Amino acid sequence: MGNKHSCCVYTSPSKTRGKPQDVYGYEEPGIDVHLTPNNRSTTSLPGVPHISDRENYPEDVKEDPTSDPSLRPLFPSRSQSEISKNHKNRRKSQYDNRVLQIQNTPVLRKYSSCSTIFIDDSTVSQPNLKNTIKAVAFAIYFHIRNRESDRTLEIFDEKLHPLSRDQVPDDYDRRDPEHKHIYRFVRTLFSAAQLTAECAIVTLVYLERLLHYAEIDIMPANWKRIVLGAILLASKVWDDQAVWNVDYCQILKDIAVEDMNDLERQYLEMLQFNINVGSSVYAKYYFDLRALADANDLSFPLEPLSKDRALKLEAMSNEDGIERINQKPTLVRSSSLDGMTVNPRLSVAIIS
């Protein structure tokens, strides 16, 4: 789901890994991760483990929610208290409005008698870009608001490593950013670098993996550089056409390429060069982000399921569906008048 190329072989995050070039910046061609239990391939490239083997994580990562698919991500626990409070207030408001409606006007009940299926344009393999970035911004927003402490490192301090020539406010480390500011920052980078929605999900995985491995907190003083480092790695690992560090310097015009290189190097070291994201971990983050978006009234636009859309969904889940879509429709004749057909070269007449 997403990139079809694996760039690293999974190793334990708690042990010393090999050289950086062994796991980073190395591309293996032609590894398809769109596999199902019915059509799973039993062959693999030389030296590359099968995806089923890569999904069997060793015992020493069972405590890592960014590598173990059975553990919940970090952001749902940070947002649960506020979401529960908002839902309680919303249910109370809906109850009050319902009581007023019953007292003032008669209630007209509507029943659905059609078989129309409504579906949004976001799937686990092709997420909606705008709403996915908004959901990721919500996850970062709740991480900052509900952080446990203010642990940080110098490389991420915006005062010591500013992203622009504008003067950093004195209260830069005490003022929590709003959701719209986080969304605007992430959207600007994704739009300028033309990154995909899958890259946004991997960005959140790397961000939480950094918080887990380095034992730091994302806070007002460091959130921009932590997010920037996660986007930098995700774009290189996930997208087929990587964005160079110098290209980000064209987006953030006041930052030096040496600073970007240093940020990337230290980010990788704190991740212990574990940049692998399994398909099950990716799917876990996708569905938890959808739940977070729904809890914050961020709805994915629904449209009636058309025949073309159904065929495309089938094609994405089954390789045979792609061939069926490309085939031209054939005309099926009725067999009730076969005895009257004497010349096989006659044109087929359709009576309507």
Side-chain angles (χ1 to χ4, degrees):
M1 50 190 68
N3 193 4
K4 296 186 178 181
H5 299 275
S6 174
C7 62
C8 62
V9 178
Y10 180 83
T11 54
S12 171
S14 63
K15 298 181 181 179
T16 303
R17 289 178 167 77
K19 298 180 181 179
Q21 57 265 28
D22 294 338
V23 294
Y24 185 68
Y26 177 73
E27 295 186 357
E28 291 286 352
I31 301 178
D32 194 352
V33 299
H34 296 275
L35 299 179
T36 62
N38 295 330
N39 62 0
R40 174 173 292 177
S41 174
T42 57
T43 60
S44 180
L45 294 178
V48 180
H50 191 269
I51 186 173
S52 59
D53 300 328
R54 297 199 301 270
E55 289 294 294
N56 295 328
Y57 298 98
E59 293 294 333
D60 52 3
V61 299
K62 292 300 182 182
E63 301 294 331
D64 181 12
T66 66
S67 298
D68 188 351
S70 63
L71 299 178
R72 293 291 302 278
L74 299 178
F75 67 86
S77 60
R78 299 293 176 86
S79 60
Q80 185 175 4
S81 59
E82 294 193 29
I83 291 176
S84 301
K85 182 179 179 180
N86 293 336
H87 276 198
K88 186 179 297 183
N89 295 335
R90 186 170 57 184
R91 285 197 299 267
K92 181 179 179 181
S93 176
Q94 291 175 349
Y95 174 77
D96 294 339
N97 294 335
R98 182 68 172 175
V99 171
L100 292 176
Q101 182 182 14
I102 294 176
Q103 292 177 351
N104 297 332
T105 58
V107 179
L108 297 179
R109 296 184 178 181
K110 295 183 178 181
Y111 297 91
S112 177
S113 60
C114 62
S115 58
T116 303
I117 299 176
F118 286 86
I119 189 172
D120 57 54
D121 62 345
S122 180
T123 62
V124 68
S125 59
Q126 293 183 345
N128 179 276
L129 177 60
K130 181 178 179 180
N131 286 336
T132 301
I133 294 178
K134 283 187 176 182
V136 170
F138 267 121
I140 299 172
Y141 170 77
F142 287 119
H143 264 297
I144 298 174
R145 282 180 57 90
N146 301 314
R147 62 188 182 275
E148 298 177 354
S149 60
D150 291 331
R151 300 169 298 179
T152 187
L153 295 173
E154 178 182 338
I155 187 62
F156 300 121
D157 196 322
E158 192 176 349
K159 188 76 170 181
L160 301 177
H161 303 275
L163 298 179
S164 66
R165 296 180 181 177
D166 298 336
Q167 185 177 2
V168 180
D170 295 334
D171 60 344
Y172 78 105
D173 58 340
R174 300 187 300 272
R175 184 174 56 188
D176 292 345
E178 298 181 8
H179 171 262
K180 62 180 180 181
H181 295 154
I182 302 175
Y183 168 70
R184 190 178 303 136
F185 178 78
V186 178
R187 183 194 62 185
T188 300
L189 293 176
F190 270 70
S191 177
Q194 298 181 357
L195 303 179
T196 60
E198 299 94 324
C199 186
I201 299 177
V202 178
T203 295
L204 182 60
V205 176
Y206 288 162
L207 186 149
E208 293 198 342
R209 188 170 292 175
L210 174 75
L211 302 183
H212 180 74
Y213 282 22
E215 297 182 351
I216 63 175
D217 299 279
I218 185 169
M219 48 186 289
N222 62 12
W223 73 269
K224 286 187 178 180
R225 292 183 61 85
I226 288 180
V227 173
L228 176 61
I231 294 176
L232 179 68
L233 292 183
S235 63
K236 290 187 175 183
V237 174
W238 197 254
D239 284 350
D240 294 332
Q241 297 180 349
V243 182
W244 293 76
N245 291 0
V246 67
D247 296 328
Y248 286 99
C249 296
Q250 299 296 326
I251 303 173
L252 305 170
K253 298 184 180 298
D254 298 329
I255 189 172
V257 66
E258 292 80 8
D259 187 15
M260 294 290 296
N261 295 338
D262 193 34
L263 176 64
E264 178 187 12
R265 178 181 60 81
Q266 295 198 35
Y267 215 109
L268 278 169
E269 291 177 354
M270 282 180 280
L271 291 183
Q272 302 178 29
F273 298 95
N274 178 19
I275 55 175
N276 180 63
V277 179
S279 57
S280 55
V281 173
Y282 171 90
K284 174 185 68 175
Y285 272 82
Y286 168 79
F287 288 110
D288 279 338
L289 281 173
R290 283 192 66 111
L292 179 65
D294 181 68
N296 288 274
D297 298 329
L298 177 60
S299 60
F300 289 74
L302 296 177
E303 296 180 356
L305 179 61
S306 62
K307 183 178 180 180
D308 293 338
R309 175 65 172 164
L311 291 175
K312 290 180 180 179
L313 290 175
E314 181 184 5
M316 286 190 293
S317 61
N318 188 356
E319 294 181 358
D320 296 337
I322 301 178
E323 299 179 358
R324 289 198 297 269
I325 290 178
N326 295 330
Q327 291 178 353
K328 295 183 180 180
T330 58
L331 188 61
V332 180
R333 290 175 58 247
S334 174
S335 59
S336 59
L337 296 179
D338 284 346
M340 299 184 62
T341 303
V342 293
N343 190 347
R345 297 189 218 176
L346 293 178
S347 301
V348 179
I350 304 177
I351 303 176
S352 60

